Amino acid sequence: MQRLAPFIILGGLLASTAAAQDIRGFRAIATPEATPEGTVPVETPQVIDAQAAKAAAEDVLAAWADGQLDDVLAPDFQDRQRLLDSMIEDVPQDAEIRVLGIRGVQTVQQFQGTGASGRTEITSIVSLTADTQIEFNDPARGFRQLRGQNEFFLRITEELAE
């Protein structure tokens, strides 16, 4: 009977680990979008400079803080108006956002086409994760700090030098 005790404990640990996996959230894997009209996929995507991608994400977060998110969201952003309405209704007016860190910058897709100026452009879809903290005064609970992780898919367009 004493020899069975370690196996029962080990079995219990394995069962609890298996059960814990059932409550993990689902995260969809990013898949390529259709090629935008007038562009062709780049055969060998070039890595976007991580600092440029981080600066673009910080611009989006600064627009969030200034109430100018409408200016930086793409017209085809899914549930665009719903997000903008939520910002007006649900975010406290004194809320500030702090960027704690940006990581995981990677180029997901690239397209080549001709821009409005007639010059060749490369459009890159870049994924990254931003660690943020929102701070505001809640009338009922006092000063609040809410941390979060936000996954961004940024569309960065660069003109090629000719």
Side-chain angles (χ1 to χ4, degrees):
M1 191 69 159
Q2 288 180 332
R3 296 183 124 195
L4 288 177
F7 294 111
I8 293 171
I9 293 171
L10 179 60
L13 289 174
L14 292 176
S16 67
T17 303
Q21 291 176 350
D22 291 339
I23 60 172
R24 291 174 52 195
F26 174 76
R27 292 190 66 192
I29 297 172
T31 56
E33 297 176 6
T35 305
E37 189 175 326
T39 65
V40 294
V42 174
E43 286 187 31
T44 308
Q46 303 297 312
V47 176
I48 293 294
D49 178 55
Q51 293 305 317
K54 288 177 181 180
E58 288 174 351
D59 288 347
V60 172
L61 292 168
W64 180 97
D66 294 339
Q68 302 299 317
L69 195 57
D70 188 28
D71 295 342
V72 296
L73 287 180
D76 60 343
F77 184 87
Q78 186 174 355
D79 289 334
R80 183 179 203 280
Q81 193 57 50
R82 186 171 150 207
L83 172 63
L84 295 172
D85 291 345
S86 175
M87 291 292 298
I88 293 168
E89 295 173 17
D90 301 329
V91 178
Q93 288 186 347
D94 67 336
E96 292 184 19
I97 191 164
R98 295 190 192 285
V99 180
L100 303 176
I102 295 178
R103 58 190 160 79
V105 177
Q106 57 184 334
T107 304
V108 178
Q109 276 184 295
Q110 280 184 335
F111 308 102
Q112 182 173 338
T114 304
S117 67
R119 300 183 83 176
T120 302
E121 293 180 338
I122 297 290
T123 300
S124 303
I125 307 299
V126 178
S127 168
L128 58 86
T129 301
D131 296 312
T132 59
Q133 179 171 289
I134 297 175
E135 300 173 347
F136 61 96
N137 286 307
D138 183 328
R141 300 165 107 182
F143 182 71
R144 303 285 314 265
Q145 294 177 322
L146 305 174
R147 289 190 178 195
Q149 290 182 345
N150 305 279
E151 184 172 10
F152 284 81
F153 284 90
L154 302 172
R155 187 178 300 150
I156 299 174
T157 301
E158 301 171 298
E159 274 191 355
L160 293 180
E162 296 184 26

